[in-house]
Amino acid sequence: PGTVRQHYEQEVEASYRRYSRGELDLRALHLELAQTMREFTGHRLGTDVRSWTRADAAGHGATQRVGELLARWEEPAFAARSDAEAAASVHAAREVIRSW
């Protein structure tokens, strides 16, 4: 599990670096984070959850926090660039990965 967590934390970090260099806007960052969290969730559950909606994820005890993140990231996906919001999103993703 440690190496799995490390892998997905590295994915989150890579997305954030691309955002910081201006290669991604806030919307693209959130889309990449959502994809990473879905892949992480699928790995942890041992099933393909790539098509799960935020409501699907929020409806399961083990994945409720992932569903909450997906919901939070959907709303600002079309907002203007916000470095504070990007940092908070990355921090939240890291916390879920580290704690699950």
Side-chain angles (χ1 to χ4, degrees):
T3 57
V4 170
R5 286 188 183 107
Q6 290 170 349
H7 168 77
Y8 288 103
E9 276 195 72
Q10 289 170 357
E11 292 290 320
V12 167
E13 292 301 321
S15 294
Y16 189 54
R17 279 194 303 275
R18 285 193 298 280
Y19 170 83
S20 296
R21 291 191 301 252
E23 297 170 17
L24 300 175
D25 61 13
L26 187 60
R27 177 179 183 273
L29 172 65
H30 284 128
L31 290 172
E32 282 196 13
L33 291 175
Q35 178 182 347
T36 298
M37 293 308 295
R38 281 187 173 94
E39 289 173 5
F40 174 70
T41 299
H43 187 86
R44 296 290 291 157
L45 295 178
T47 189
D48 185 0
V49 300
R50 288 177 292 180
S51 64
W52 278 18
T53 65
R54 62 183 169 93
D56 293 333
H60 292 76
T63 61
Q64 184 176 1
R65 289 179 61 199
V66 173
E68 291 168 1
L69 288 180
L70 296 176
R72 189 178 332 156
W73 296 338
E74 280 181 5
E75 183 177 330
F78 299 98
R81 182 179 168 103
S82 166
D83 292 337
E85 186 171 338
S89 295
V90 167
H91 176 76
R94 279 192 214 116
E95 287 300 309
V96 170
I97 291 169
R98 289 176 183 163
S99 67
W100 184 24

